[in-house]
mmCIF file of all heavy atoms in Angstrom:
data_model
loop_
_atom_site.group_PDB
_atom_site.id
_atom_site.type_symbol
_atom_site.label_atom_id
_atom_site.label_comp_id
_atom_site.label_asym_id
_atom_site.label_seq_id
_atom_site.Cartn_x
_atom_site.Cartn_y
_atom_site.Cartn_z
ATOM 1 N N GLY A 11 -11.764 10.370 -3.835
ATOM 2 C CA GLY A 11 -10.897 9.358 -4.434
ATOM 3 C C GLY A 11 -9.629 9.927 -5.025
ATOM 4 O O GLY A 11 -8.824 9.197 -5.604
ATOM 5 N N GLN A 30 18.986 4.771 16.265
ATOM 6 C CA GLN A 30 20.116 5.234 17.072
ATOM 7 C C GLN A 30 19.714 6.441 17.917
ATOM 8 O O GLN A 30 20.075 6.528 19.098
ATOM 9 C CB GLN A 30 21.291 5.607 16.163
ATOM 10 C CG GLN A 30 21.988 4.434 15.506
ATOM 11 C CD GLN A 30 23.147 4.876 14.634
ATOM 12 O OE1 GLN A 30 23.563 6.037 14.650
ATOM 13 N NE2 GLN A 30 23.674 3.955 13.830
ATOM 14 N N GLU A 105 6.012 2.145 45.622
ATOM 15 C CA GLU A 105 5.031 1.511 46.510
ATOM 16 C C GLU A 105 5.765 0.720 47.589
ATOM 17 O O GLU A 105 6.716 -0.001 47.286
ATOM 18 C CB GLU A 105 4.125 0.578 45.712
ATOM 19 C CG GLU A 105 3.310 1.275 44.629
ATOM 20 C CD GLU A 105 2.555 0.287 43.740
ATOM 21 O OE1 GLU A 105 2.637 -0.928 44.010
ATOM 22 O OE2 GLU A 105 1.899 0.734 42.778
ATOM 23 N N PRO A 107 5.097 -2.178 50.308
ATOM 24 C CA PRO A 107 4.146 -3.157 50.833
ATOM 25 C C PRO A 107 3.957 -2.979 52.332
ATOM 26 O O PRO A 107 4.861 -2.491 53.038
ATOM 27 C CB PRO A 107 4.807 -4.509 50.522
ATOM 28 C CG PRO A 107 5.801 -4.205 49.442
ATOM 29 C CD PRO A 107 6.255 -2.805 49.687
ATOM 30 N N GLN A 142 -5.654 7.458 18.784
ATOM 31 C CA GLN A 142 -4.992 6.167 18.982
ATOM 32 C C GLN A 142 -3.518 6.355 19.317
ATOM 33 O O GLN A 142 -2.947 5.597 20.108
ATOM 34 C CB GLN A 142 -5.108 5.326 17.700
ATOM 35 C CG GLN A 142 -6.527 5.095 17.224
ATOM 36 C CD GLN A 142 -7.229 3.968 17.955
ATOM 37 O OE1 GLN A 142 -6.755 3.494 18.981
ATOM 38 N NE2 GLN A 142 -8.361 3.548 17.460
ATOM 39 N N LEU A 175 4.584 17.976 16.539
ATOM 40 C CA LEU A 175 3.916 18.503 17.736
ATOM 41 C C LEU A 175 4.786 18.297 18.975
ATOM 42 O O LEU A 175 5.025 19.245 19.751
ATOM 43 C CB LEU A 175 2.567 17.809 17.924
ATOM 44 C CG LEU A 175 1.833 18.127 19.226
ATOM 45 C CD1 LEU A 175 1.323 19.569 19.230
ATOM 46 C CD2 LEU A 175 0.664 17.153 19.436
ATOM 47 N N PHE A 186 9.970 11.232 20.330
ATOM 48 C CA PHE A 186 8.833 10.719 19.573
ATOM 49 C C PHE A 186 9.125 10.920 18.094
ATOM 50 O O PHE A 186 9.228 12.051 17.620
ATOM 51 C CB PHE A 186 7.538 11.436 19.950
ATOM 52 C CG PHE A 186 6.324 10.834 19.298
ATOM 53 C CD1 PHE A 186 5.614 9.834 19.939
ATOM 54 C CD2 PHE A 186 5.915 11.242 18.036
ATOM 55 C CE1 PHE A 186 4.511 9.245 19.321
ATOM 56 C CE2 PHE A 186 4.822 10.664 17.416
ATOM 57 C CZ PHE A 186 4.110 9.669 18.067
ATOM 58 N N VAL A 196 7.962 -3.510 9.459
ATOM 59 C CA VAL A 196 7.722 -3.568 10.900
ATOM 60 C C VAL A 196 8.484 -4.722 11.545
ATOM 61 O O VAL A 196 9.045 -4.576 12.634
ATOM 62 C CB VAL A 196 6.205 -3.684 11.187
ATOM 63 C CG1 VAL A 196 5.948 -4.018 12.661
ATOM 64 C CG2 VAL A 196 5.497 -2.391 10.808
ATOM 65 N N GLY A 217 -2.223 -7.979 14.353
ATOM 66 C CA GLY A 217 -1.912 -8.291 15.742
ATOM 67 C C GLY A 217 -1.188 -9.619 15.881
ATOM 68 O O GLY A 217 -0.237 -9.752 16.667
ATOM 69 N N LEU A 233 -2.046 -5.343 22.638
ATOM 70 C CA LEU A 233 -2.800 -5.434 21.398
ATOM 71 C C LEU A 233 -4.252 -5.006 21.623
ATOM 72 O O LEU A 233 -4.905 -5.519 22.530
ATOM 73 C CB LEU A 233 -2.794 -6.866 20.849
ATOM 74 C CG LEU A 233 -1.447 -7.518 20.554
ATOM 75 C CD1 LEU A 233 -1.669 -8.919 20.011
ATOM 76 C CD2 LEU A 233 -0.626 -6.683 19.583
ATOM 77 N N MET A 244 -33.215 -4.204 27.194
ATOM 78 C CA MET A 244 -34.181 -4.997 27.953
ATOM 79 C C MET A 244 -35.469 -4.196 28.175
ATOM 80 O O MET A 244 -35.506 -2.982 27.956
ATOM 81 C CB MET A 244 -33.551 -5.420 29.272
ATOM 82 C CG MET A 244 -32.309 -6.298 29.118
ATOM 83 S SD MET A 244 -32.618 -7.875 28.284
ATOM 84 C CE MET A 244 -33.471 -8.767 29.602
ATOM 85 N N ASN A 263 -18.114 8.360 13.406
ATOM 86 C CA ASN A 263 -16.944 8.061 12.579
ATOM 87 C C ASN A 263 -17.320 7.123 11.433
ATOM 88 O O ASN A 263 -16.528 6.271 11.030
ATOM 89 C CB ASN A 263 -15.823 7.455 13.424
ATOM 90 C CG ASN A 263 -14.459 7.591 12.762
ATOM 91 O OD1 ASN A 263 -14.204 8.508 12.002
ATOM 92 N ND2 ASN A 263 -13.584 6.640 13.049
ATOM 93 N N GLN A 306 -23.099 14.428 9.287
ATOM 94 C CA GLN A 306 -22.991 13.502 10.418
ATOM 95 C C GLN A 306 -22.251 12.220 10.057
ATOM 96 O O GLN A 306 -21.639 11.597 10.922
ATOM 97 C CB GLN A 306 -24.396 13.159 10.932
ATOM 98 C CG GLN A 306 -25.143 14.353 11.518
ATOM 99 C CD GLN A 306 -26.596 14.043 11.758
ATOM 100 O OE1 GLN A 306 -27.376 13.848 10.828
ATOM 101 N NE2 GLN A 306 -26.990 13.974 13.025
ATOM 102 N N ALA A 320 -19.899 -3.705 1.837
ATOM 103 C CA ALA A 320 -21.001 -4.037 0.929
ATOM 104 C C ALA A 320 -21.123 -5.548 0.738
ATOM 105 O O ALA A 320 -22.239 -6.089 0.637
ATOM 106 C CB ALA A 320 -20.793 -3.345 -0.411
ATOM 107 N N TRP A 345 -16.146 7.316 -1.311
ATOM 108 C CA TRP A 345 -16.412 5.962 -0.821
ATOM 109 C C TRP A 345 -17.480 5.971 0.262
ATOM 110 O O TRP A 345 -17.255 5.553 1.411
ATOM 111 C CB TRP A 345 -15.102 5.351 -0.338
ATOM 112 C CG TRP A 345 -14.099 5.298 -1.456
ATOM 113 C CD1 TRP A 345 -14.309 4.833 -2.718
ATOM 114 C CD2 TRP A 345 -12.741 5.747 -1.429
ATOM 115 N NE1 TRP A 345 -13.176 4.945 -3.483
ATOM 116 C CE2 TRP A 345 -12.187 5.508 -2.715
ATOM 117 C CE3 TRP A 345 -11.937 6.324 -0.441
ATOM 118 C CZ2 TRP A 345 -10.874 5.825 -3.040
ATOM 119 C CZ3 TRP A 345 -10.630 6.644 -0.764
ATOM 120 C CH2 TRP A 345 -10.112 6.385 -2.043
ATOM 121 N N GLY A 354 -33.298 -10.004 11.068
ATOM 122 C CA GLY A 354 -33.394 -11.401 10.667
ATOM 123 C C GLY A 354 -32.043 -12.046 10.460
ATOM 124 O O GLY A 354 -31.860 -12.886 9.569
ATOM 125 N N ASP A 388 -21.607 -14.703 21.477
ATOM 126 C CA ASP A 388 -21.398 -15.561 20.315
ATOM 127 C C ASP A 388 -20.576 -14.823 19.258
ATOM 128 O O ASP A 388 -21.028 -14.546 18.144
ATOM 129 C CB ASP A 388 -22.746 -16.000 19.734
ATOM 130 C CG ASP A 388 -22.581 -17.068 18.651
ATOM 131 O OD1 ASP A 388 -21.538 -17.764 18.661
ATOM 132 O OD2 ASP A 388 -23.491 -17.201 17.802
ATOM 133 N N SER A 394 -15.855 -4.365 24.049
ATOM 134 C CA SER A 394 -16.721 -3.723 25.038
ATOM 135 C C SER A 394 -18.154 -4.166 24.814
ATOM 136 O O SER A 394 -18.426 -5.024 23.962
ATOM 137 C CB SER A 394 -16.602 -2.195 24.957
ATOM 138 O OG SER A 394 -17.251 -1.578 26.060
ATOM 139 N N ARG A 410 -21.499 -9.887 35.196
ATOM 140 C CA ARG A 410 -20.863 -11.167 35.511
ATOM 141 C C ARG A 410 -20.591 -12.008 34.270
ATOM 142 O O ARG A 410 -19.540 -12.648 34.155
ATOM 143 C CB ARG A 410 -21.762 -11.973 36.465
ATOM 144 C CG ARG A 410 -21.141 -13.274 36.974
ATOM 145 C CD ARG A 410 -22.161 -14.156 37.667
ATOM 146 N NE ARG A 410 -23.077 -14.789 36.704
ATOM 147 C CZ ARG A 410 -24.096 -15.579 37.058
ATOM 148 N NH1 ARG A 410 -24.352 -15.780 38.349
ATOM 149 N NH2 ARG A 410 -24.866 -16.129 36.149
ATOM 150 N N GLU A 413 -18.660 -11.394 28.057
ATOM 151 C CA GLU A 413 -17.239 -11.605 27.806
ATOM 152 C C GLU A 413 -16.685 -10.402 27.056
ATOM 153 O O GLU A 413 -16.625 -10.386 25.821
ATOM 154 C CB GLU A 413 -17.052 -12.897 27.009
ATOM 155 C CG GLU A 413 -17.531 -14.137 27.761
ATOM 156 C CD GLU A 413 -17.633 -15.367 26.870
ATOM 157 O OE1 GLU A 413 -17.508 -15.217 25.628
ATOM 158 O OE2 GLU A 413 -17.846 -16.460 27.402
ATOM 159 N N THR A 434 -10.776 -8.721 25.496
ATOM 160 C CA THR A 434 -10.457 -10.113 25.772
ATOM 161 C C THR A 434 -10.745 -10.917 24.508
ATOM 162 O O THR A 434 -11.134 -10.363 23.488
ATOM 163 C CB THR A 434 -11.284 -10.629 26.973
ATOM 164 O OG1 THR A 434 -10.853 -11.929 27.336
ATOM 165 C CG2 THR A 434 -12.769 -10.640 26.660
ATOM 166 N N LEU A 443 -4.567 3.414 28.701
ATOM 167 C CA LEU A 443 -5.181 4.445 29.541
ATOM 168 C C LEU A 443 -5.172 4.057 31.019
ATOM 169 O O LEU A 443 -4.810 2.952 31.393
ATOM 170 C CB LEU A 443 -6.599 4.760 29.055
ATOM 171 C CG LEU A 443 -6.698 5.201 27.589
ATOM 172 C CD1 LEU A 443 -8.147 5.368 27.158
ATOM 173 C CD2 LEU A 443 -5.923 6.495 27.358
ATOM 174 N N PHE A 451 4.214 -0.450 30.005
ATOM 175 C CA PHE A 451 5.570 -0.386 29.465
ATOM 176 C C PHE A 451 6.549 0.115 30.511
ATOM 177 O O PHE A 451 7.373 0.992 30.265
ATOM 178 C CB PHE A 451 5.588 0.468 28.197
ATOM 179 C CG PHE A 451 4.761 -0.137 27.093
ATOM 180 C CD1 PHE A 451 3.660 0.519 26.587
ATOM 181 C CD2 PHE A 451 5.077 -1.390 26.595
ATOM 182 C CE1 PHE A 451 2.888 -0.052 25.592
ATOM 183 C CE2 PHE A 451 4.317 -1.973 25.595
ATOM 184 C CZ PHE A 451 3.222 -1.301 25.092
#
Side-chain angles (χ1 to χ4, degrees):
Q30 289 181 10
E105 299 173 3
Q142 303 279 13
L175 173 70
F186 186 91
V196 169
L233 302 181
M244 298 298 286
N263 201 29
Q306 295 169 292
W345 300 312
D388 189 23
S394 190
R410 186 192 74 182
E413 298 167 350
T434 187
L443 303 175
F451 296 117

